[in-house]
Amino acid sequence: MAHDRAMDRRRFLRAAASLPLAAGLVAFASPLLRFLKPNVDPFDVLQPTRHDPPAGEPVVAATLAELQKPWDFKYFVYTQKYPQYTPEGFRSASVPGVAIRLPAKIRMPWDWVRATGETPQFTESEIIVFSRICPHLGCIYNFVQDWREITAGYGGYVPPRERQHALMGCPCHLSIYDPADPEMPGRVLSGPAPRPPRTFFYTIEGDRVLVRRVEPGGIA
């Protein structure tokens, strides 16, 4: 019994001694993090970038006149701005995209939009807009209207009958995507890509398809 009490006392003393050490580490980490990123709140060490998410000015990806028929598409470039401590206050990057008219409406994969605090104008559409950055290693993939071209020039992949329509193919490592998959738009059909390409959030204003934000995250 006396031995057990001695063990409990030692555990208590060790725990008590570790508290100042833990507090010292937190006190050291917070000013260091604020030195590296001065807009971080004290002790806001878990989400150091929540105050400066990337954003960009709205861009006209296409007009409805340019996307009249199924599989009509239009390439565009969106400028993404990342907060940086430069004279301009940001660093910009070009994100190539493609707007596509699908044969039927699908549910927009925009759960991430609500997480940004915005409410989509609609939840289903025949128009979908993807980033053209391949999620595998960041190459720029192509929208290919004739699936036979995918088979001939993108590694010999032959889509099943129900997917023999326009597809998206990466010329670098031959990842193939289905833009019209109703459950997972941009579903990976073949190749090493780990997931579908990221989507753009857009609104329709008059005749314009206006992209407002690209799905956040890294390439892969």
Side-chain angles (χ1 to χ4, degrees), residues 66-176:
E66 293 169 325
L67 302 176
Q68 290 186 358
K69 304 186 301 297
W71 306 122
D72 281 351
F73 72 102
K74 178 76 179 296
Y75 288 150
F76 66 95
V77 175
Y78 176 80
T79 300
Q80 180 88 298
K81 294 181 179 178
Y82 302 87
Q84 296 282 320
Y85 295 98
T86 63
E88 297 81 12
F90 63 87
R91 179 176 62 84
S92 62
S94 297
V95 182
V98 57
I100 305 168
R101 165 77 73 172
L102 302 175
K105 285 186 177 181
I106 62 172
R107 181 180 177 276
M108 292 288 97
W110 284 346
D111 291 342
W112 61 270
V113 174
R114 295 177 182 84
T116 66
E118 296 186 74
T119 301
Q121 189 181 43
F122 42 80
T123 57
E124 294 185 341
S125 177
E126 295 168 325
I127 295 175
I128 191 164
V129 186
F130 289 102
S131 162
R132 289 181 63 208
I133 297 177
C134 180
H136 176 221
L137 287 177
C139 292
I140 308 302
Y141 68 78
N142 299 315
F143 179 73
V144 184
Q145 287 182 298
D146 187 346
W147 64 269
R148 297 173 186 81
E149 187 178 335
I150 283 282
T151 299
Y154 291 80
Y157 172 73
V158 180
R161 181 175 297 277
E162 67 274 14
R163 297 187 192 273
Q164 290 181 353
H165 51 64
L167 298 170
M168 303 186 297
C170 181
C172 293
H173 304 97
L174 309 177
S175 291
I176 309 296

Side-chain angles (χ1 to χ4, degrees), residues 19-87:
L19 288 177
L21 178 61
L25 289 175
V26 172
F28 173 77
S30 181
L32 177 62
L33 191 60
R34 296 185 70 196
F35 172 76
L36 297 174
K37 292 185 70 63
N39 61 339
V40 174
D41 292 335
F43 304 109
D44 190 11
V45 298
L46 299 179
Q47 295 182 313
T49 60
R50 68 185 178 89
H51 298 292
D52 48 11
E57 301 298 325
V59 169
V60 178
T63 65
L64 295 181
E66 293 169 325
L67 302 176
Q68 290 186 358
K69 304 186 301 297
W71 306 122
D72 281 351
F73 72 102
K74 178 76 179 296
Y75 288 150
F76 66 95
V77 175
Y78 176 80
T79 300
Q80 180 88 298
K81 294 181 179 178
Y82 302 87
Q84 296 282 320
Y85 295 98
T86 63

